Amino acid sequence: MPAKLIKGTEIREEILEELTAETARIKKKYGVVPGLVTILVGENPASISYVTLKIQTAHRVGFKEVQDSQPVSISEEDLLGLIAKYNADDSINGILVQLPLPKHINEKKVLTAIDPDKDVDGFHPVNVGRLMIGGSEVKFLPCTPAGIQELIVRSGVETSGAEVVVVGRSNIVGKPIANMMLQKGKGANSTVTIVHTATKHLDVHCKRADILIVAAGVPGLVKPEWIKPGACVIDVGVNRVGEKTNEKTGKKVAILKGDVDFDKAKEIAGWITPVPGGVGPMTITMLMKNTLKSLKFKLGIS
Ligand code: GUN
């Protein structure tokens, strides 16, 4: 039987509706809404489109949203000054600096300047440490791993005692999702293995996985015969493998392919995320969840 499709586009709608309702409840009771600022440096087209979508989504769920666009020539000092301003702004609960930054700016320095209690990306070392400790220490989970965990939980996949294999060890996806899945608690409590470019017998590890999370950035890396029948396969890869013309608009659009051979894998897996429309839509959704969480922490409500 073909795998159940884990549709990120549908789960996104479900979560955004929940966030909209909760934002309205908080506004009624406390007279405040979450505030999100996105700082964009320069005019990278991909960054502009991501930031636009973040702002539109924040608006949709009822947040105060601020788009702060800065020229590519902004100095590191001025950018740090801008972050200090938003750190001190009581109406702002979440600060996001869109990456990548121009080469003359030290990305690490900038991310570390954000108040950890407004770091809705979850990239600040303090939040990385909190994630490692787990439990009540955790404030903000990084958005893509948090989205992956939501997809797994909302699809009813058992995680407790499950063999989870994570392909890829990036700071943004591989390492945090592996950490999250091994914590005690809901949607976790798994036995976790991380595999990477130096791993021997990648296939042997993947074949053991009840939940296979692939974030390698290599199109079609995971072969169908590496998938355990009935496993849950989460494909985080978004690889541009070519271009096609959109029949309606006449515009060129990228052809995207995941890290898993989807067409064959779906005949073996129990659950699988498509690319696009699987993990992708969850990242911005979880950014909204973090921003609301930030306000709730401030108000002392859960
Ligand atoms: N650039 C691409 N993805 C992201 C993200 O999730 N957060 C930030 N800050 N920049 C990005």
Short mmCIF file of all heavy atoms in Angstrom, two decimals, residues 239-285:
data_model
loop_
_atom_site.label_atom_id
_atom_site.label_comp_id
_atom_site.label_asym_id
_atom_site.label_seq_id
_atom_site.Cartn_x
_atom_site.Cartn_y
_atom_site.Cartn_z
N ASN A 239 16.16 20.73 -3.34
CA ASN A 239 17.25 20.89 -4.30
C ASN A 239 16.71 21.37 -5.64
O ASN A 239 15.76 20.79 -6.17
CB ASN A 239 17.96 19.54 -4.48
CG ASN A 239 18.41 18.94 -3.16
OD1 ASN A 239 19.31 19.46 -2.51
ND2 ASN A 239 17.77 17.85 -2.73
N ARG A 240 17.31 22.45 -6.14
CA ARG A 240 16.91 22.96 -7.46
C ARG A 240 17.63 22.14 -8.51
O ARG A 240 18.85 22.21 -8.62
CB ARG A 240 17.29 24.44 -7.61
CG ARG A 240 16.42 25.34 -6.78
CD ARG A 240 17.01 26.73 -6.63
NE ARG A 240 16.29 27.44 -5.59
CZ ARG A 240 15.31 28.31 -5.83
NH1 ARG A 240 14.97 28.62 -7.05
NH2 ARG A 240 14.67 28.90 -4.83
N VAL A 241 16.88 21.36 -9.27
CA VAL A 241 17.53 20.48 -10.26
C VAL A 241 17.29 20.96 -11.69
O VAL A 241 17.71 20.31 -12.65
CB VAL A 241 17.06 19.01 -10.10
CG1 VAL A 241 17.56 18.43 -8.79
CG2 VAL A 241 15.56 18.88 -10.22
N GLY A 242 16.61 22.08 -11.86
CA GLY A 242 16.38 22.61 -13.20
C GLY A 242 15.33 23.70 -13.15
O GLY A 242 14.98 24.18 -12.07
N GLU A 243 14.83 24.06 -14.32
CA GLU A 243 13.83 25.12 -14.43
C GLU A 243 12.74 24.69 -15.39
O GLU A 243 13.00 23.93 -16.34
CB GLU A 243 14.49 26.38 -15.00
CG GLU A 243 14.90 27.38 -13.96
CD GLU A 243 15.36 28.69 -14.60
OE1 GLU A 243 15.48 28.78 -15.85
OE2 GLU A 243 15.59 29.61 -13.84
N LYS A 244 11.53 25.16 -15.15
CA LYS A 244 10.46 24.93 -16.12
C LYS A 244 9.63 26.19 -16.23
O LYS A 244 9.74 27.09 -15.38
CB LYS A 244 9.62 23.73 -15.69
CG LYS A 244 8.91 23.91 -14.37
CD LYS A 244 8.11 22.68 -13.99
CE LYS A 244 7.50 22.91 -12.59
NZ LYS A 244 6.87 21.77 -12.03
N THR A 245 8.79 26.25 -17.25
CA THR A 245 7.95 27.43 -17.42
C THR A 245 6.57 27.13 -16.84
O THR A 245 5.94 26.13 -17.19
CB THR A 245 7.84 27.78 -18.92
OG1 THR A 245 9.17 27.91 -19.43
CG2 THR A 245 7.08 29.09 -19.13
N ASN A 246 6.11 28.03 -15.96
CA ASN A 246 4.77 27.89 -15.40
C ASN A 246 3.75 28.16 -16.51
O ASN A 246 3.78 29.23 -17.14
CB ASN A 246 4.61 28.89 -14.24
CG ASN A 246 3.24 28.78 -13.58
OD1 ASN A 246 2.21 28.85 -14.22
ND2 ASN A 246 3.27 28.62 -12.28
N GLU A 247 2.85 27.20 -16.74
CA GLU A 247 1.92 27.32 -17.88
C GLU A 247 0.97 28.51 -17.73
O GLU A 247 0.59 29.14 -18.71
CB GLU A 247 1.11 26.03 -18.03
CG GLU A 247 1.94 24.95 -18.70
CD GLU A 247 1.23 23.61 -18.75
OE1 GLU A 247 0.00 23.58 -18.59
OE2 GLU A 247 1.94 22.60 -18.93
N LYS A 248 0.60 28.83 -16.47
CA LYS A 248 -0.36 29.93 -16.25
C LYS A 248 0.32 31.29 -16.38
O LYS A 248 -0.19 32.18 -17.05
CB LYS A 248 -0.98 29.81 -14.86
CG LYS A 248 -2.08 28.76 -14.80
CD LYS A 248 -2.80 28.85 -13.46
CE LYS A 248 -3.58 27.55 -13.23
NZ LYS A 248 -3.70 27.21 -11.83
N THR A 249 1.47 31.46 -15.72
CA THR A 249 2.09 32.79 -15.66
C THR A 249 3.13 33.01 -16.75
O THR A 249 3.52 34.13 -17.04
CB THR A 249 2.77 32.99 -14.29
OG1 THR A 249 3.83 32.02 -14.18
CG2 THR A 249 1.82 32.83 -13.13
N GLY A 250 3.61 31.92 -17.35
CA GLY A 250 4.65 32.03 -18.37
C GLY A 250 6.04 32.27 -17.76
O GLY A 250 7.03 32.42 -18.47
N LYS A 251 6.08 32.33 -16.40
CA LYS A 251 7.37 32.61 -15.73
C LYS A 251 8.16 31.33 -15.52
O LYS A 251 7.59 30.25 -15.38
CB LYS A 251 7.11 33.25 -14.36
CG LYS A 251 6.76 34.71 -14.43
CD LYS A 251 6.71 35.29 -13.03
CE LYS A 251 6.30 36.75 -13.08
NZ LYS A 251 5.95 37.26 -11.77
N LYS A 252 9.48 31.49 -15.47
CA LYS A 252 10.36 30.35 -15.17
C LYS A 252 10.29 30.04 -13.68
O LYS A 252 10.36 30.95 -12.85
CB LYS A 252 11.81 30.69 -15.53
CG LYS A 252 12.03 30.88 -17.01
CD LYS A 252 12.81 29.70 -17.56
CE LYS A 252 13.25 30.00 -18.99
NZ LYS A 252 12.84 28.97 -19.92
N VAL A 253 10.12 28.77 -13.35
CA VAL A 253 10.13 28.37 -11.93
C VAL A 253 11.09 27.20 -11.77
O VAL A 253 11.33 26.43 -12.71
CB VAL A 253 8.72 27.98 -11.41
CG1 VAL A 253 7.82 29.17 -11.27
CG2 VAL A 253 8.09 26.91 -12.31
N ALA A 254 11.64 27.09 -10.55
CA ALA A 254 12.61 26.03 -10.29
C ALA A 254 11.92 24.67 -10.21
O ALA A 254 10.80 24.56 -9.73
CB ALA A 254 13.32 26.32 -8.97
N ILE A 255 12.61 23.64 -10.69
CA ILE A 255 12.15 22.26 -10.47
C ILE A 255 12.84 21.79 -9.20
O ILE A 255 14.07 21.82 -9.10
CB ILE A 255 12.53 21.34 -11.66
CG1 ILE A 255 11.91 21.86 -12.96
CG2 ILE A 255 12.10 19.90 -11.37
CD1 ILE A 255 12.41 21.14 -14.20
N LEU A 256 12.04 21.41 -8.20
CA LEU A 256 12.60 21.02 -6.91
C LEU A 256 12.57 19.52 -6.72
O LEU A 256 11.62 18.84 -7.13
CB LEU A 256 11.79 21.68 -5.77
CG LEU A 256 11.74 23.20 -5.79
CD1 LEU A 256 10.87 23.73 -4.66
CD2 LEU A 256 13.14 23.81 -5.70
N LYS A 257 13.63 19.00 -6.11
CA LYS A 257 13.71 17.57 -5.84
C LYS A 257 14.23 17.39 -4.42
O LYS A 257 15.10 18.14 -3.97
CB LYS A 257 14.68 16.93 -6.85
CG LYS A 257 14.54 15.43 -6.93
CD LYS A 257 15.26 14.86 -8.16
CE LYS A 257 15.07 13.37 -8.20
NZ LYS A 257 16.19 12.56 -7.96
N GLY A 258 13.68 16.42 -3.72
CA GLY A 258 14.12 16.15 -2.36
C GLY A 258 15.38 15.30 -2.31
O GLY A 258 15.98 14.97 -3.35
N ASP A 259 15.77 14.91 -1.10
CA ASP A 259 16.94 14.04 -0.90
C ASP A 259 16.56 12.56 -1.03
O ASP A 259 17.41 11.68 -0.93
CB ASP A 259 17.53 14.27 0.50
CG ASP A 259 18.21 15.63 0.64
OD1 ASP A 259 18.36 16.32 -0.39
OD2 ASP A 259 18.58 15.98 1.77
N VAL A 260 15.25 12.31 -1.19
CA VAL A 260 14.75 10.93 -1.27
C VAL A 260 14.09 10.75 -2.64
O VAL A 260 13.46 11.66 -3.15
CB VAL A 260 13.70 10.69 -0.15
CG1 VAL A 260 13.12 9.29 -0.22
CG2 VAL A 260 14.31 10.95 1.24
N ASP A 261 14.26 9.56 -3.20
CA ASP A 261 13.60 9.24 -4.47
C ASP A 261 12.12 9.00 -4.17
O ASP A 261 11.69 7.89 -3.88
CB ASP A 261 14.28 7.99 -5.07
CG ASP A 261 13.69 7.60 -6.41
OD1 ASP A 261 12.60 8.10 -6.76
OD2 ASP A 261 14.31 6.77 -7.09
N PHE A 262 11.33 10.10 -4.20
CA PHE A 262 9.95 10.08 -3.70
C PHE A 262 9.08 9.03 -4.38
O PHE A 262 8.39 8.26 -3.70
CB PHE A 262 9.33 11.47 -3.86
CG PHE A 262 7.90 11.55 -3.44
CD1 PHE A 262 7.56 11.71 -2.11
CD2 PHE A 262 6.87 11.44 -4.37
CE1 PHE A 262 6.23 11.77 -1.70
CE2 PHE A 262 5.54 11.50 -3.98
CZ PHE A 262 5.22 11.66 -2.65
N ASP A 263 9.09 8.98 -5.72
CA ASP A 263 8.14 8.12 -6.44
C ASP A 263 8.26 6.66 -6.04
O ASP A 263 7.27 5.96 -5.88
CB ASP A 263 8.34 8.27 -7.96
CG ASP A 263 7.83 9.63 -8.42
OD1 ASP A 263 6.93 10.18 -7.73
OD2 ASP A 263 8.35 10.15 -9.42
N LYS A 264 9.50 6.20 -5.86
CA LYS A 264 9.68 4.79 -5.46
C LYS A 264 9.54 4.64 -3.95
O LYS A 264 8.98 3.64 -3.48
CB LYS A 264 11.05 4.31 -5.93
CG LYS A 264 11.11 4.20 -7.45
CD LYS A 264 12.38 3.53 -7.89
CE LYS A 264 12.47 3.55 -9.42
NZ LYS A 264 13.75 4.09 -9.89
N ALA A 265 10.04 5.61 -3.20
CA ALA A 265 10.00 5.51 -1.73
C ALA A 265 8.57 5.44 -1.21
O ALA A 265 8.29 4.76 -0.23
CB ALA A 265 10.73 6.70 -1.12
N LYS A 266 7.66 6.13 -1.87
CA LYS A 266 6.28 6.17 -1.36
C LYS A 266 5.60 4.79 -1.45
O LYS A 266 4.60 4.54 -0.79
CB LYS A 266 5.46 7.26 -2.06
CG LYS A 266 4.99 6.95 -3.46
CD LYS A 266 4.11 8.12 -3.95
CE LYS A 266 3.36 7.83 -5.22
NZ LYS A 266 4.09 7.26 -6.35
N GLU A 267 6.15 3.90 -2.26
CA GLU A 267 5.59 2.54 -2.37
C GLU A 267 6.06 1.66 -1.21
O GLU A 267 5.53 0.57 -1.00
CB GLU A 267 5.99 1.90 -3.70
CG GLU A 267 5.55 2.67 -4.94
CD GLU A 267 4.03 2.87 -5.01
OE1 GLU A 267 3.29 1.97 -4.56
OE2 GLU A 267 3.59 3.95 -5.47
N ILE A 268 7.07 2.11 -0.47
CA ILE A 268 7.65 1.29 0.61
C ILE A 268 7.35 1.88 1.99
O ILE A 268 7.04 1.15 2.94
CB ILE A 268 9.19 1.18 0.41
CG1 ILE A 268 9.49 0.58 -0.96
CG2 ILE A 268 9.84 0.35 1.52
CD1 ILE A 268 10.90 0.82 -1.44
N ALA A 269 7.44 3.20 2.09
CA ALA A 269 7.27 3.87 3.39
C ALA A 269 5.83 3.77 3.88
O ALA A 269 4.91 3.49 3.10
CB ALA A 269 7.67 5.35 3.24
N GLY A 270 5.66 4.03 5.19
CA GLY A 270 4.32 4.10 5.77
C GLY A 270 3.77 5.52 5.69
O GLY A 270 2.57 5.72 5.51
N TRP A 271 4.69 6.48 5.87
CA TRP A 271 4.37 7.91 5.76
C TRP A 271 5.52 8.56 5.01
O TRP A 271 6.67 8.15 5.17
CB TRP A 271 4.30 8.60 7.12
CG TRP A 271 3.24 8.16 8.05
CD1 TRP A 271 2.04 8.76 8.26
CD2 TRP A 271 3.30 7.06 8.99
NE1 TRP A 271 1.34 8.11 9.25
CE2 TRP A 271 2.09 7.06 9.70
CE3 TRP A 271 4.25 6.07 9.27
CZ2 TRP A 271 1.82 6.12 10.69
CZ3 TRP A 271 3.97 5.13 10.24
CH2 TRP A 271 2.77 5.16 10.94
N ILE A 272 5.22 9.60 4.26
CA ILE A 272 6.31 10.31 3.57
C ILE A 272 5.91 11.77 3.32
O ILE A 272 4.73 12.05 3.09
CB ILE A 272 6.71 9.58 2.26
CG1 ILE A 272 8.02 10.16 1.68
CG2 ILE A 272 5.59 9.64 1.22
CD1 ILE A 272 8.67 9.28 0.61
N THR A 273 6.89 12.67 3.40
CA THR A 273 6.63 14.08 3.08
C THR A 273 6.99 14.32 1.61
O THR A 273 8.05 13.89 1.15
CB THR A 273 7.48 15.03 3.94
OG1 THR A 273 8.87 14.72 3.75
CG2 THR A 273 7.13 14.93 5.40
N PRO A 274 6.14 15.03 0.86
CA PRO A 274 6.51 15.38 -0.52
C PRO A 274 7.45 16.58 -0.54
O PRO A 274 7.55 17.31 0.44
CB PRO A 274 5.16 15.75 -1.15
CG PRO A 274 4.34 16.27 0.00
CD PRO A 274 4.81 15.53 1.24
N VAL A 275 8.13 16.78 -1.65
CA VAL A 275 8.92 18.00 -1.89
C VAL A 275 8.48 18.54 -3.25
O VAL A 275 8.61 17.82 -4.25
CB VAL A 275 10.44 17.71 -1.93
CG1 VAL A 275 11.21 19.01 -2.24
CG2 VAL A 275 10.92 17.13 -0.59
N PRO A 276 7.93 19.75 -3.32
CA PRO A 276 7.65 20.66 -2.21
C PRO A 276 6.33 20.30 -1.51
O PRO A 276 5.65 19.36 -1.95
CB PRO A 276 7.53 22.01 -2.93
CG PRO A 276 7.04 21.67 -4.31
CD PRO A 276 7.62 20.33 -4.65
N GLY A 277 6.01 21.01 -0.46
CA GLY A 277 4.70 20.84 0.20
C GLY A 277 4.74 19.96 1.43
O GLY A 277 3.70 19.62 1.99
N GLY A 278 5.95 19.57 1.88
CA GLY A 278 6.08 18.75 3.08
C GLY A 278 6.61 19.58 4.23
O GLY A 278 5.87 20.30 4.90
N VAL A 279 7.93 19.51 4.42
CA VAL A 279 8.57 20.24 5.53
C VAL A 279 8.57 21.76 5.26
O VAL A 279 8.37 22.56 6.18
CB VAL A 279 10.03 19.74 5.74
CG1 VAL A 279 10.74 20.58 6.79
CG2 VAL A 279 10.03 18.27 6.12
N GLY A 280 8.76 22.14 4.01
CA GLY A 280 8.93 23.56 3.64
C GLY A 280 7.93 24.51 4.30
O GLY A 280 8.34 25.49 4.95
N PRO A 281 6.62 24.26 4.15
CA PRO A 281 5.65 25.21 4.69
C PRO A 281 5.67 25.33 6.22
O PRO A 281 5.07 26.24 6.79
CB PRO A 281 4.30 24.61 4.26
CG PRO A 281 4.61 23.62 3.20
CD PRO A 281 6.00 23.15 3.43
N MET A 282 6.36 24.40 6.88
CA MET A 282 6.32 24.39 8.36
C MET A 282 7.25 25.42 9.00
O MET A 282 7.04 25.84 10.13
CB MET A 282 6.69 23.00 8.88
CG MET A 282 5.70 21.92 8.47
SD MET A 282 4.04 22.26 9.03
CE MET A 282 4.24 22.01 10.79
N THR A 283 8.32 25.81 8.29
CA THR A 283 9.34 26.66 8.92
C THR A 283 8.75 28.01 9.35
O THR A 283 8.90 28.43 10.50
CB THR A 283 10.54 26.83 7.97
OG1 THR A 283 11.05 25.52 7.68
CG2 THR A 283 11.66 27.64 8.62
N ILE A 284 8.07 28.68 8.44
CA ILE A 284 7.48 29.98 8.77
C ILE A 284 6.36 29.81 9.80
O ILE A 284 6.19 30.64 10.70
CB ILE A 284 7.00 30.71 7.49
CG1 ILE A 284 8.23 31.08 6.64
CG2 ILE A 284 6.16 31.94 7.82
CD1 ILE A 284 7.94 31.77 5.34
N THR A 285 5.64 28.72 9.69
CA THR A 285 4.56 28.44 10.66
C THR A 285 5.12 28.38 12.08
O THR A 285 4.56 28.95 13.02
CB THR A 285 3.88 27.10 10.29
OG1 THR A 285 3.50 27.16 8.92
CG2 THR A 285 2.68 26.81 11.15
#
